[in-house]
Amino acid sequence: SDLKRWKADNLPTAIRCHPNPANRLIVTGFQDGRVQLITLQVASLVTTNVIDFYLKDEKGKNLTKNAIADLNWDPRSDSYLLAAYAGTSRFVLWDVAASPPSVVQT
């Protein structure tokens, strides 16, 4: 099972489906600060695209290893995702339509 492949410090901490079913998006946050965006095929519910991303500085270094405490989709946008990081006062607004997903505001 998938649970056997996850390391103990890398378990999911939050999961959210996009409020617009036409977008076919699911996002998962993990204990290591990773956010995973999954796109599904509607008819078969098969994963068609998986993107992992972290909050990074200009040099590409991870800025946090704090767990994702919560995730929420912006109700007025099809592409904005708000991530809250545990143990900090850090909130990040991501644009998941960008390739790769990009930070809009921290």
Side-chain angles (χ1 to χ4, degrees):
S1 79
D2 285 342
L3 198 55
K4 290 179 183 176
R5 289 188 282 155
W6 286 330
K7 296 178 183 176
D9 63 346
N10 199 16
L11 295 173
T13 55
I15 186 168
R16 297 286 182 266
C17 295
H18 196 283
N20 181 353
N23 285 345
R24 305 179 324 267
L25 298 174
I26 297 173
V27 67
T28 305
F30 291 86
Q31 287 181 345
D32 65 352
R34 176 171 46 110
V35 179
Q36 185 175 75
L37 181 68
I38 302 168
T39 306
L40 299 173
Q41 291 179 0
V42 176
S44 62
L45 293 180
V46 172
T47 302
T48 58
N49 193 21
V50 177
I51 301 170
D52 291 333
F53 52 100
Y54 292 88
L55 183 60
K56 297 180 181 272
D57 64 15
E58 304 81 34
K59 296 179 182 178
K61 183 179 176 186
N62 288 354
L63 286 177
T64 183
K65 294 227 178 226
N66 294 69
I68 300 295
D70 200 6
L71 298 165
N72 208 352
W73 293 100
D74 182 338
R76 296 183 182 200
S77 167
D78 282 343
S79 63
Y80 285 173
L81 172 74
L82 185 63
Y85 291 82
T88 71
S89 58
R90 181 170 287 184
F91 292 86
V92 177
L93 184 63
W94 291 94
D95 180 356
V96 298
S99 184
S102 64
V103 173
V104 176
Q105 188 171 356
T106 59

